Amino acid sequence: MKEFITEHHNELIYSLIVLMVILVLKFLFTTAVRKVSKISDYNPVRTNLIIKFINIALTIITMVVLTLVWSVNYRDLGVMLSSVFAVIGVALFAQWSILSNITAGVIIFFSFPFKIGNTIRILDKELLDPNNTDLDKFVIEDIRAFHLHLRRSNGEILTYPNNLVLQKGVILISTYQQGEFLNTEEEDEQTI
């Protein structure tokens, strides 16, 4: 053991530095996400999901940096990783929509102007009902990593993918704040 420590003294010190930096970054990013969540009044489930994504990204970065620090033979590692990435690539290609929904979920967390409890209308011709315009309004019940849970006025629950929310127009009809609904259409008519 002493021989290993004396031979790899520099690598051990650099590894310790990398781990300390990653822990500090994890703390800073987690604190920042929690502050954004608190200021924007986001659902704690959404906050924990984004923190989980950040932890996964930091873990991957740590593994890459540690392989550089320890001077891993990239030929051997390349053969192994190419096999792993070939399998993962086929799986991700087959499930591309899942990856795009996760990415959209992260974007929605930071920039989606609507919250749980808001009433919205999604401008998607497959959702619009020309015979009954009340069915075009949805209350946001939950915002998940892959999809939104929307409730129609007749009680139906619709699961709508996150990537489609970013692609389609969304109209805010009313917001839910402290136990009461504020109708934005009435506010707009009053200001005109």
Side-chain angles (χ1 to χ4, degrees), residues 96-113:
W96 187 255
S97 63
I98 291 175
L99 186 61
S100 67
N101 280 321
I102 291 173
T103 305
V106 172
I107 293 170
I108 286 172
F109 177 79
F110 287 107
S111 66
F112 197 54

Side-chain angles (χ1 to χ4, degrees), residues 95-165:
Q95 299 297 328
W96 187 255
S97 63
I98 291 175
L99 186 61
S100 67
N101 280 321
I102 291 173
T103 305
V106 172
I107 293 170
I108 286 172
F109 177 79
F110 287 107
S111 66
F112 197 54
F114 313 117
K115 296 179 182 162
I116 294 173
N118 290 356
T119 303
I120 61 172
R121 178 179 292 127
I122 299 175
L123 301 177
D124 187 350
K125 63 183 177 184
E126 295 176 3
L127 292 178
L128 299 177
D129 187 0
N131 300 329
N132 188 354
T133 57
D134 285 340
L135 294 179
D136 296 344
K137 297 176 184 177
F138 301 97
V139 175
I140 301 173
E141 293 238 330
D142 198 5
I143 301 173
R144 302 267 175 129
F146 300 106
H147 53 269
L148 299 175
H149 286 179
L150 306 172
R151 183 176 296 275
R152 280 192 164 148
S153 59
N154 64 358
E156 295 176 342
I157 293 182
L158 172 71
T159 302
Y160 200 72
N162 285 339
N163 61 351
L164 290 181
V165 171

Side-chain angles (χ1 to χ4, degrees), residues 22-176:
I22 292 296
L23 288 175
V24 168
L25 286 175
K26 179 183 176 186
F27 175 76
L28 292 175
F29 286 144
T30 302
T31 304
V33 168
R34 290 202 190 279
K35 282 185 181 179
V36 167
S37 174
K38 186 175 182 180
I39 290 170
S40 301
D41 194 30
Y42 287 139
N43 188 343
V45 174
R46 289 177 64 197
T47 304
N48 291 336
L49 186 66
I50 297 302
I51 290 171
K52 184 178 179 181
F53 291 154
I54 289 171
N55 288 339
I56 290 169
L58 287 175
T59 301
I60 292 170
I61 291 170
T62 302
M63 291 171 58
V64 169
V65 172
L66 287 177
T67 59
L68 292 173
V69 166
W70 284 90
S71 302
V72 174
N73 185 351
Y74 288 108
R75 285 190 181 161
D76 297 338
L77 186 63
V79 170
M80 182 189 75
L81 288 179
S82 65
S83 302
V84 169
F85 284 132
V87 171
I88 291 174
V90 169
L92 286 180
F93 182 74
Q95 299 297 328
W96 187 255
S97 63
I98 291 175
L99 186 61
S100 67
N101 280 321
I102 291 173
T103 305
V106 172
I107 293 170
I108 286 172
F109 177 79
F110 287 107
S111 66
F112 197 54
F114 313 117
K115 296 179 182 162
I116 294 173
N118 290 356
T119 303
I120 61 172
R121 178 179 292 127
I122 299 175
L123 301 177
D124 187 350
K125 63 183 177 184
E126 295 176 3
L127 292 178
L128 299 177
D129 187 0
N131 300 329
N132 188 354
T133 57
D134 285 340
L135 294 179
D136 296 344
K137 297 176 184 177
F138 301 97
V139 175
I140 301 173
E141 293 238 330
D142 198 5
I143 301 173
R144 302 267 175 129
F146 300 106
H147 53 269
L148 299 175
H149 286 179
L150 306 172
R151 183 176 296 275
R152 280 192 164 148
S153 59
N154 64 358
E156 295 176 342
I157 293 182
L158 172 71
T159 302
Y160 200 72
N162 285 339
N163 61 351
L164 290 181
V165 171
L166 294 180
Q167 294 173 10
K168 307 291 181 181
V170 179
I171 299 171
L172 177 63
I173 296 172
S174 64
T175 59
Y176 181 77

